[in-house]
Amino acid sequence: MTYTTLAEEYRAGVLENAHQGLICIVDEKKNVVYSKGDTGEPILYRSAMKPLQAIPVFTSNVIRNYQLTTKEMALFTASQRGETYQQKSLESLITKLDLLEETLICGKSYPLNEVPKINHICNNMPKRKLLHNCAGKHLGFLAYCREHGYPLSSYGKIEHPLQQRILQDVAELAEISKEKIVTAVDGCGVPVHAVPIKNMAISYLKFAVPDLINDITTANAVVNITNTMNAHPEIVASHNFICTTLLKDNNIVAKGGAQGVYCLALKEEKLSIAIKVLSGTELLWPLLVARALEKIGYKNQETIDNLLLIRSKDILNDDGDIVGETKILF
């Protein structure tokens, strides 16, 4: 297993943190055009798998039958943070789908963002399954299962027809046999898969270049998923988050996952980028993605500048003074 240092953090010239990881960039022919570390090492998608997990519900009649809005549809791909606008869409979605909150297997949660969390607690409101980061994804799972007559109680088991369908979708988009995919349990209780980071990049390439997908139904779903994410980036993450910043650029489809995984693909350039930070930090994402975009000569400087507004290379103290720097090493 080969890793490389992607970033180092210095304070007064003293090395304070070093972050190892992997990066892989593939072109439309699925060739690796740039890499750091072992591109054959299996990496768990975590929530970066959500666009792939949304394929079943986007190929179903759920969206049409329940007259879902694109904002509600975006929740199927989202790692929502409990903002008021996200809660409103979640309430609307679960009402339209006529599902019971208790049916979700994800844990109960407070809003993740600080302001809505404080408001929630100060108003003596309890934790809810509907406020879980992955609630929208689970509602899509349940709606798909009900439409197909699959049991709802076991929808999180790998043996369930839904999870077998998702496994097949991951195998096809990532171009890897199911037997070589490693399956674990995600934080929300459903299966999550690991593939080599090169294959992870290939799977995201299909969202930018859906013509690479052989099955027309899947290809149409992928186009719909991408358009939905670009239409409502604030639902997919929330304001001031990297996913929101990237998805505001209609040329990019992007989604992060826990423990330092980030994936994005560029439509015009027909390139895909997958990153794994082994320390698990998400704080470096804006800097790493900005550097990757610079490395390929990305034309939209505004997107790069907006990433650097989220996280500067400067390390600040609590008064906002510059006391160090982060060096990106690729």
Side-chain angles (χ1 to χ4, degrees), residues 143-295:
Y144 175 86
C145 291
R146 186 175 58 191
E147 181 184 278
H148 288 79
Y150 299 148
L152 302 188
S153 59
S154 58
Y155 76 89
K157 303 293 185 183
I158 187 59
E159 300 81 10
H160 193 280
L162 165 67
Q163 299 302 335
Q164 286 297 305
R165 163 69 193 276
I166 292 171
L167 178 61
Q168 184 62 39
D169 286 335
V170 171
E172 291 178 0
L173 266 68
E175 299 189 3
I176 183 172
S177 67
K178 289 192 293 184
E179 292 72 26
K180 292 184 178 180
I181 295 175
V182 180
T183 300
V185 178
D186 213 338
C188 64
V190 300
V192 63
H193 305 307
V195 301
I197 198 167
K198 176 184 176 181
N199 299 83
M200 188 178 287
I202 288 172
S203 70
Y204 262 74
L205 180 66
K206 309 292 179 62
F207 285 85
V209 193
D211 291 346
L212 295 174
I213 301 173
N214 294 325
D215 182 79
I216 187 64
T217 302
T218 301
N220 288 339
V222 163
V223 170
N224 198 4
I225 290 167
T226 300
N227 290 340
T228 300
M229 293 174 72
N230 284 134
H232 296 288
E234 79 288 352
I235 294 292
V236 177
S238 74
H239 55 285
N240 297 327
F241 271 73
I242 181 175
C243 289
T244 305
T245 296
L246 289 171
L247 289 170
K248 285 180 178 178
D249 183 336
N250 286 326
N251 187 45
I252 295 178
V253 57
K255 185 70 183 70
Q259 299 303 318
V261 178
Y262 208 88
C263 299
L264 66 151
L266 291 78
K267 301 172 189 176
E268 292 182 17
E269 293 79 2
K270 298 181 179 179
L271 292 170
S272 180
I273 304 167
I275 298 170
K276 166 67 174 179
V277 185
L278 288 167
S279 65
T281 184
E282 301 175 9
L283 297 177
L284 289 175
W285 281 346
L287 293 176
L288 296 174
V289 173
R291 177 62 186 134
L293 292 176
E294 290 172 342
K295 199 162 191 69

